[in-house]
Amino acid sequence: MRTVTTGALQAVVAGVCRGDDAAISRVALAVASGRTGEITSMDGSYWMVVHDGERRRTTVAGDLAEIRGVFTARTCDGTAWATDPALLAARLGRGPDLELLVARATVGSAEHWPTRSVWSGVERIPGGHALVLDDGGTRTVDVRPRPDGRNLEAGAEEVGTALWAAAQGYARAAGPRVSADLSGGLDSSAVVVAAAAMSRVVAVTYGGPLADAEDTRLARKVAAHVDAEHHVSAGGNGSAHFSRWPHACPHAPVLPVSSCPLDADYLPPARGVSPVHLTGHGGDVVLESSTAAWTALAQSGQTRRARSAVTALARRVNAAPGPMWRAVRDGARGRPPALYRAAEAVAEGRLLGDGLGVWTWCPVGAAARWLTPYGRRVVAGMLEDSGRAVGDVDAGEWDDWSALRYNGSALRDSEPLFTEHGVHQVSPFLDNGVVRACLRIGAGERRRPDRYKPLLALARPELPDWLTGRRSKGHFTPLLYEGLRLRREALHQVIDASELVSCGLIDAAAVHTALDSAAAGVGRPPLPALESFLITSWWLARLKPSAPADGAR
């Protein structure tokens, strides 16, 4: 943490900020003069507070990806802000927001409610926004970098420079040795290649019979390419999801709760190697957009280009392009009508836009049928409110920022779990400089129907073709299926004890049926929703029993 004072201005910076004191002072002066967006302009991942004593104004912001979160609450003494929402919840005497938690588990992204935190009565300042407090009250200012019309070729050099500066900055600060994930995917591999120019890399890879064989093969090849000290774990059934629960409790429900056994299997060689542990988290988000990019193209009138992309995808996955194109065309009509349709589907227990193979604003899948009649009314009302409150936005930008904040907040909220494993995770892809460089290139440019993450090869042309030529990445679904099968009875008990069930929002019998189907490998149960529900239920049970829960009937 650093404090820099310039006249009546005082700036406090906490976290990883690669600007010197002179840069911090320049940013503080810019913010005080009304250029609030400058508060995230320095490279790194940090909080910054600028207090202007003359104007009696305080401006607070975290990083763009929301790893460094900022939260507010109205108290009897006025508006309070904190970097830990649980502190504000304790001050208010409030508990978890059960309605938000059940909506996240059943209909997906919490970004439909961007100012709600997992704690009732505590608001979040979304990544890419700053909080301004003065005599006039409080307001939130949008400080996100916006697409400026550049194409991949024009933006690639800035992306490559920013990514290498971030990865090598962490490695240099770590000292002679730095630990790193090396999954075999493009993102972690690129980070390892960058870091190896600064430090001896101790790379760790999840291996064994349940790992993707191509990922393991490529991880070995990358490690040999940079002469890293490489450790591949044994894997096996004992590392399957839900094989055991963590001892630590995360700040919010996060996926590393279920993958705790996997992390415990491959991370031990990294324990204590360096102050930071490099990861490729977030690379999927900033290097490439989802197929929301095609909805954005259709929104902007580029119908021919959007339809061509949809047709190319349909051919590649051997699917009919008609339903895909209709979903894209419907999405291009705007966010509010899509949220209203989703609300109607939830209220009526209908499926909507699930399994089409392309992005939609709010797919309503089988998990929504877990809701009780009361739960359906609650979630449908939340979706209607969101359609009115957020309004119409560009689909590509909306999904880029939703995914970015999801990754950043997950890294933040997972910190206690990885402290238990003995590492402190950082991701160069989520540094301000990298996010800014990537998201200045529009979603429609970063998503190409015929190429996988084309931006990375253009940004760092020295990366070997055998790496950047990959067209896909393995996944951990086999580990989830295996864990559900092995821990089936214990997970049924989690369902029965769930606070989301006891408060009347979720029908336990419906979730039991989904778990049995998944454990038996029958049908197509909503795996992400099932995993999210089980993690959320475990997290709620881990909280202090004295903490009240809000949002229940």
Side-chain angles (χ1 to χ4, degrees):
M1 187 171 73
R2 283 180 284 165
T3 301
V4 177
T5 302
T6 307
L9 289 179
Q10 186 177 58
V12 179
V13 175
V16 178
C17 176
R18 299 193 179 92
D20 58 17
D21 285 0
I24 293 172
S25 181
R26 286 195 298 271
V27 168
L29 287 166
V31 171
S33 68
R35 301 201 308 275
T36 312
E38 294 296 310
I39 200 165
T40 63
S41 63
M42 293 178 287
D43 290 344
S45 176
Y46 57 86
W47 289 282
M48 187 170 188
V49 183
V50 178
H51 179 65
D52 185 342
E54 190 173 303
R55 295 179 178 86
R56 300 178 63 182
R57 179 192 302 148
T58 300
T59 305
V60 188
D63 63 323
L64 293 170
E66 209 180 311
I67 300 170
R68 317 283 182 176
V70 177
F71 303 86
T72 68
R74 297 180 182 275
T75 73
C76 57
D77 299 318
T79 299
W81 68 270
T83 59
D84 181 352
L87 295 176
L88 294 174
R91 183 169 177 179
L92 295 174
R94 306 290 289 273
D97 184 340
L98 299 183
E99 293 181 354
L100 179 69
L101 291 172
V102 82
R104 289 202 324 182
T106 55
V107 297
S109 175
E111 287 301 317
H112 290 305
W113 307 278
T115 62
R116 286 177 78 158
S117 79
V118 298
W119 296 97
S120 181
V122 179
E123 293 190 353
R124 60 183 269 244
I125 305 301
H129 291 74
L131 175 68
V132 180
L133 307 96
D134 56 22
D135 289 341
T138 64
R139 64 185 185 279
T140 302
V141 179
D142 190 338
V143 298
R144 292 175 294 169
R146 310 303 293 269
D148 58 11
R150 67 183 70 184
N151 60 21
L152 280 185
E153 289 74 17
E157 183 178 354
E158 183 182 348
V159 170
T161 300
L163 176 58
W164 251 233
Q168 293 182 347
Y170 282 118
R172 187 183 301 111
R177 300 170 81 223
V178 63
S179 65
D181 279 357
L182 182 53
S183 69
L186 298 189
D187 306 333
S188 64
S189 297
V191 169
V192 165
V193 171
M198 295 289 111
S199 303
R200 172 73 164 166
V201 175
V202 178
V204 288
T205 301
Y206 175 76
L210 297 177
D212 183 272
E214 179 62 14
D215 283 353
T216 304
R217 184 193 69 80
L218 197 66
R220 294 185 190 277
K221 192 169 184 178
V222 171
H225 179 68
V226 299
D227 192 29
E229 178 186 324
H230 191 206
H231 302 267
V232 180
S233 74
N237 289 349
S239 61
H241 286 41
F242 293 112
S243 297
R244 72 169 179 85
W245 298 106
H247 297 297
C249 186
H251 300 308
V254 284
L255 290 179
V257 168
S258 61
S259 63
C260 170
L262 179 154
D263 296 324
D265 179 71
Y266 86 96
L267 282 173
R271 180 183 287 270
V273 168
S274 56
V276 297
H277 177 77
L278 295 169
T279 74
H281 293 326
D284 287 339
V285 176
V286 295
L287 292 177
E288 192 173 40
S289 178
S290 74
T291 55
W294 303 338
T295 302
L297 290 175
Q299 282 179 303
S300 65
Q302 300 180 63
T303 307
R304 180 176 296 179
R305 186 178 167 194
R307 188 158 195 165
S308 175
V310 171
T311 301
L313 173 64
R315 286 173 180 163
R316 192 163 67 246
V317 300
N318 195 28
M324 289 184 176
W325 174 244
R326 284 193 292 274
V328 170
R329 186 184 58 199
D330 288 346
R333 293 172 181 164
R335 184 178 181 277
L339 269 289
Y340 300 148
R341 287 196 301 272
E344 289 177 1
V346 169
E348 296 169 6
R350 293 186 289 108
L351 303 185
L352 179 68
D354 187 43
L356 291 173
V358 292
W359 179 89
T360 57
W361 290 103
C362 184
V364 179
R369 291 178 170 171
W370 301 347
L371 294 164
T372 63
Y374 166 63
R376 290 201 301 272
R377 290 195 301 273
V378 167
V379 174
M382 290 172 65
L383 290 171
E384 286 182 358
D385 291 344
S386 177
R388 287 189 293 268
V390 177
D392 214 0
V393 290
D394 178 278
E397 284 190 69
W398 189 86
D399 194 57
D400 279 347
W401 282 94
S402 296
L404 178 68
R405 294 168 186 149
Y406 173 83
N407 276 265
S409 61
L411 199 66
R412 175 192 72 224
D413 292 333
S414 300
E415 185 175 9
L417 303 178
F418 288 96
T419 298
E420 179 179 318
H421 296 307
V423 298
H424 173 62
Q425 289 193 322
V426 295
S427 177
F429 283 104
L430 298 179
D431 266 27
N432 282 348
V434 181
V435 171
R436 187 178 303 106
C438 290
L439 296 193
R440 281 178 177 154
I441 306 170
E445 269 295 302
R446 297 190 341 272
R447 178 79 187 196
R448 300 292 177 88
D450 56 342
R451 297 170 64 190
Y452 180 58
K453 297 185 183 176
L455 180 55
L456 183 60
L458 289 170
R460 301 305 308 191
E462 74 274 25
L463 289 171
D465 292 342
W466 49 260
L467 174 60
T468 56
R470 284 204 76 177
R471 294 184 60 85
S472 62
K473 171 71 171 65
H475 53 80
F476 295 124
T477 304
L479 286 153
L480 177 55
Y481 271 117
E482 185 66 12
L484 294 175
R485 184 184 68 81
L486 293 172
R487 295 276 287 166
R488 182 175 180 172
E489 294 308 316
L491 295 175
H492 277 306
Q493 295 175 20
V494 172
I495 296 170
D496 285 332
S498 175
E499 194 168 353
L500 299 179
V501 171
S502 62
C503 75
L505 290 166
I506 289 288
D507 175 10
V511 190
H512 282 306
T513 299
L515 174 57
D516 284 337
S517 296
V522 175
R524 298 181 61 187
L527 281 179
L530 181 59
E531 186 176 17
S532 175
F533 174 84
L534 291 168
I535 290 169
T536 301
S537 299
W538 172 85
W539 182 76
L540 288 168
R542 282 294 306 270
L543 298 180
K544 294 180 179 179
S546 59
D550 294 298
R553 180 167 48 184

